[in-house]
Amino acid sequence: MRVLGLDPGLRHTGWGIIDVFGNRLVHVADGVIHPAADQPLAARLVSLFRQITAVVESFRPDEAAVEETFVNRNPSSTLRLGVARGVVLLAPAECGLPVAEYSANFIKKAVVGAGHAEKSQVQLMVRRLLPGCDGGEPDAADALAVAICHAHHATAQRLLGAQG
Amino acid sequence: MRVLGLDPGLRHTGWGIIDVFGNRLVHVADGVIHPAADQPLAARLVSLFRQITAVVESFRPDEAAVEETFVNRNPSSTLRLGVARGVVLLAPAECGLPVAEYSANFIKKAVVGAGHAEKSQVQLMVRRLLPGCDGGEPDAADALAVAICHAHHATAQRLLGAQG
C-alpha cells in the first residue's frame, strides 16, 4: 500500500509518500507546497489544488491521510486554516482516494509515543522509521508522520478485521 | 456580463446567476447545493466542488463573487465554514473565472442600503431588483444578492476606470 500524508496550511502544505510492506515502511518522496503569498486567495487555492493533484498523479498513492487542523484562538487564523484544509481534503478525494483524518496528538502518539512531543522529536522519529530519508523540511516531516500514523492505524485495523 | 454569486456553507451553499446589461439586471437561475450530511467530510467537499463546477459549465458565467464567511465565536464552526469556503472559492477559480469576495455587510449595503438589514429585507430587494425572480430558497436569495453586489461594484469600478 502507498500512502500520501498531508499537513495543510495556506502558506506551507507539507506532503510525504511512503510504501507500506506489512510492518516495513519505505520512504518514497516528500516536499512542501508554497502557494505564492502575493496572489489573491482563490489563485493561491488553485495553485495548492493543482500541486497536490500533480503529486497524486506522479506517485499514484492508494490512500491519503490529512492532519486535522489545529483550532487557533484567533478566529481569522482558524478560518484561513479551514480554507486550506478544505482544498487539501478535496484534492486527493477528487482523484478518487479514500481520505483519513488524524488529530495532531494522535499522530505524535503514533510516531513518537507521546501526544505532546516536540516538533524536533517527530522529525527524529520520522528519520529513524524511514531509513534513507533525511527528514526534509519540517512541514514535509510532519506530512511523513501523518502517513506513518495512517500506515500503523490501517494495518492495525486490517489485523483486527482479520480476527473479527 | 454574466455573474455567479455564491454563499458558502458546508450544509447549504447557495448559488445565483444574473446577466448585467449596464444598469439592468436579469435573473438567469439560482439554487442551493446540499452535500449529503451523512458522508465523510472529504466526500461532501467533492460533491460541493462538482456541483459548483457543473453550474459554471451549464451557465458559463464571466465572473464569480463569494460572500466572505462570517467568523463565528465557536472555533470548530469557524473551521467548518472555512473548509466549505476553500472549496467554494476554488471551484470557479479552477474553471478560470476571476473570483471577488465581499463581506456580508457590504453586500447588504449594496442591495438593501443598510449594512445590518434583516434576511427577509434582502430577499424582498432581490425580488424587486430581479423582476420575474421569486427569490427562491433563502440561501439562493443570498447568493443572488452577492451577484447583484458584484454587478454594482464592477460597473462602478469600470465607470471610475473610464473617468481616470
Side-chain angles (χ1 to χ4, degrees):
Chain A
M1 179 176 71
R2 176 164 285 191
V3 178
L4 166 63
L6 289 158
D7 180 27
L10 196 51
R11 293 172 59 192
H12 318 286
T13 284
W15 62 271
I17 306 253
I18 62 172
D19 281 340
V20 186
F21 304 99
N23 276 332
R24 202 162 66 89
L25 305 178
V26 175
H27 172 260
V28 177
D30 64 70
V32 180
I33 298 166
H34 307 277
D38 56 350
Q39 294 201 339
L41 182 54
R44 293 166 75 177
L45 297 176
V46 167
S47 157
L48 182 55
F49 180 73
R50 290 189 182 169
Q51 288 184 68
I52 297 171
T53 303
V55 166
V56 172
E57 286 174 354
S58 300
F59 296 100
R60 304 255 164 225
D62 302 299
E63 298 185 0
V66 176
E67 179 165 333
E68 270 182 14
T69 318
F70 173 70
V71 173
N72 205 291
R73 269 158 208 259
N74 177 333
S76 353
S77 310
T78 303
L79 189 64
R80 293 173 78 80
L81 275 170
V83 165
R85 185 171 162 232
V87 171
V88 169
L89 285 166
L90 172 72
E94 178 64 15
C95 295
L97 303 189
V99 181
E101 290 180 89
Y102 301 99
S103 75
N105 282 354
F106 189 88
I107 295 163
K108 285 178 181 168
K109 222 171 215 163
V111 174
V112 181
H116 293 278
E118 296 290 327
K119 235 176 154 62
S120 58
Q121 286 178 279
V122 173
Q123 278 182 270
L124 192 74
M125 279 309 291
V126 164
R127 278 202 292 268
R128 191 165 294 173
L129 291 167
L130 300 175
C133 162
D134 65 0
E137 292 181 66
D139 292 298
D142 283 345
L144 288 168
V146 183
I148 293 169
C149 169
H150 181 69
H152 289 173
H153 189 73
T155 304
Q157 286 211 315
R158 263 182 273 273
L159 289 173
L160 281 170
Q163 282 176 347
Chain B
M1 179 175 69
R2 177 165 284 191
V3 177
L4 165 63
L6 290 157
D7 180 27
L10 196 51
R11 293 172 60 193
H12 318 286
T13 284
W15 61 271
I17 305 252
I18 62 171
D19 281 341
V20 186
F21 303 99
N23 276 332
R24 202 162 65 90
L25 305 179
V26 176
H27 173 259
V28 177
D30 64 70
V32 181
I33 298 166
H34 307 276
D38 56 350
Q39 293 202 340
L41 182 54
R44 293 167 74 178
L45 297 176
V46 167
S47 158
L48 182 55
F49 179 74
R50 290 190 182 168
Q51 289 185 67
I52 297 172
T53 303
V55 167
V56 172
E57 287 173 352
S58 300
F59 295 101
R60 304 257 163 222
D62 302 297
E63 297 185 2
V66 176
E67 180 166 335
E68 269 182 15
T69 319
F70 174 68
V71 173
N72 205 290
R73 268 159 209 258
N74 177 334
S76 350
S77 310
T78 303
L79 189 64
R80 293 172 79 79
L81 276 171
V83 165
R85 184 172 162 232
V87 171
V88 169
L89 285 166
L90 172 72
E94 178 64 15
C95 295
L97 303 189
V99 181
E101 290 180 89
Y102 301 99
S103 74
N105 281 355
F106 189 88
I107 295 163
K108 284 177 181 169
K109 222 170 217 166
V111 174
V112 181
H116 293 279
E118 296 289 326
K119 236 175 152 59
S120 58
Q121 287 178 278
V122 173
Q123 278 182 270
L124 193 73
M125 280 306 292
V126 165
R127 278 201 294 268
R128 190 164 297 173
L129 291 167
L130 300 175
C133 163
D134 65 0
E137 290 181 69
D139 292 299
D142 283 345
L144 288 167
V146 183
I148 293 168
C149 170
H150 181 68
H152 288 173
H153 189 72
T155 304
Q157 286 212 313
R158 263 183 273 272
L159 288 174
L160 282 170
Q163 283 175 347

